[in-house]
Amino acid sequence: MRAIFNHFHPLNKLKRERERYLVNHDVPDNIKTLLSTPLPSLDDDIFSLDYLSVDFETSGFDPKNDSLLSVGYLPLINQQLLLSEAVETLIQSAENIKAETAVINHIVPEMLEQGKPWAEVMDTLLAEAVGKVLIVHGSVVEKRFLNHYIAKQYKLPPLPLLWVDTLQMEKSLHMYKDDSATDDFRLGSIRARHNLPEYSAHGALVDSLATGELYLALLKIHFEGTDSSVRYMKFDYTRAL
């Protein structure tokens, strides 16, 4: 029975999907390296995995009409966020900046003139993601813009990557507590509920740091004192949104 459960576990299904992806598509070396690096096993400890906390700042939600403005990320290794390896990069010549998003992220066209090319930034992110689980807060934006990049740059379908979403983790926690009164799942609001400090600035790097810290707090709430093997983690396996 356990063997059957393991076979149909979403993580093992993702492993088989990666194998099919590499067989069915002509992928460049960087994508091949990313998808051929082994995924965690079901018996691995969630706390011991290598993660990359990621945040995208964009001018909107539709990558076909909006622009990716900046990318921020930092590794989470051995339950420690590695600030010395944190990265935030502006995207060169991004278009469609909107006043309402500029108010939030303070990114204006003049700043983007000093940015880096879109492909260089995204390929660097893909290289950093090798062997890591991606942490995001609300995966819709990051997945849409990453999928768009993969389709436009490489003419490939969405990559079968392994994500964890702190937004969904928090929602599942409230469902378990039967707390239907809470409807504010913004990153700052959730952090406040878990007594994490408020960050006055807003941007890709700050939000990736805030998301990584929240993930560590949620991990302890969900798994401390219980079986924390990977088989019990609710990863986000969806790709196309």
Side-chain angles (χ1 to χ4, degrees):
M1 181 63 70
R2 186 179 181 86
I4 295 176
F5 172 81
N6 288 348
H7 179 79
F8 288 104
H9 190 282
L11 184 60
N12 284 331
K13 291 174 66 176
L14 183 66
K15 291 179 181 178
R16 296 191 292 273
E17 187 176 354
R18 283 189 168 194
E19 293 170 356
R20 290 193 297 269
Y21 194 103
L22 291 172
V23 169
N24 295 332
H25 301 287
D26 184 16
V27 301
D29 288 342
N30 63 330
I31 302 297
K32 185 178 296 183
T33 298
L34 177 64
L35 297 184
S36 61
T37 300
L39 288 165
S41 72
L42 295 182
D43 293 321
D44 286 343
D45 192 312
I46 291 166
F47 289 94
S48 68
L49 301 183
D50 292 344
Y51 299 91
L52 189 69
S53 187
V54 180
D55 183 77
F56 289 175
E57 293 297 318
T58 69
S59 63
F61 297 102
D62 181 2
K64 294 181 179 179
N65 299 305
D66 297 306
S67 295
L68 177 61
L69 306 178
S70 67
V71 172
Y73 53 86
L74 74 165
L76 195 166
I77 311 294
N78 294 325
Q79 301 185 60
Q80 295 185 9
L81 288 158
L82 304 184
L83 296 177
S84 62
E85 298 182 26
V87 172
E88 182 174 35
T89 310
L90 294 171
I91 309 297
Q92 188 180 75
S93 301
E95 301 173 348
N96 306 317
I97 288 184
K98 301 174 183 177
E100 56 268 29
T101 58
V103 169
I104 297 173
N105 54 42
H106 307 294
I107 297 176
V108 296
E110 292 77 13
M111 296 170 60
L112 301 174
E113 295 175 1
Q114 306 301 318
K116 293 184 177 181
W118 182 44
E120 178 183 338
V121 175
M122 296 302 282
D123 281 349
T124 301
L125 170 63
L126 292 175
E128 187 61 38
V130 172
K132 298 184 179 71
V133 180
L134 300 176
I135 308 171
V136 289
H137 184 76
S139 62
V140 172
V141 170
E142 283 75 18
K143 285 184 177 181
R144 283 181 179 174
F145 279 83
L146 181 57
N147 291 347
H148 178 71
Y149 172 72
I150 294 300
K152 191 168 183 178
Q153 182 73 5
Y154 296 112
K155 306 298 188 292
L156 290 170
L159 301 177
L161 301 177
L162 187 58
W163 307 74
V164 288
D165 188 338
T166 52
L167 174 63
Q168 296 305 320
M169 289 179 70
E170 177 72 4
K171 285 186 174 181
S172 68
L173 191 62
H174 281 266
M175 290 177 61
Y176 176 76
K177 293 180 178 179
D178 195 23
D179 183 3
S180 58
T182 300
D183 58 2
D184 187 350
F185 292 99
R186 292 173 297 175
L187 179 57
S189 299
I190 297 174
R191 285 176 58 87
R193 286 201 290 271
H194 294 290
N195 299 313
L196 293 171
E198 178 183 359
Y199 289 120
S200 57
H202 179 86
L205 181 55
V206 171
D207 284 356
S208 63
L209 172 60
T211 299
E213 289 177 343
L214 176 59
Y215 179 66
L216 285 173
L218 290 173
L219 268 188
K220 291 181 179 179
I221 294 172
H222 278 267
F223 292 104
E224 195 165 52
T226 66
D227 187 342
S228 58
S229 60
V230 165
R231 69 179 68 253
Y232 298 112
M233 182 63 185
K234 292 184 178 179
F235 293 103
D236 187 349
Y237 304 94
T238 59
R239 292 183 288 142
L241 296 170

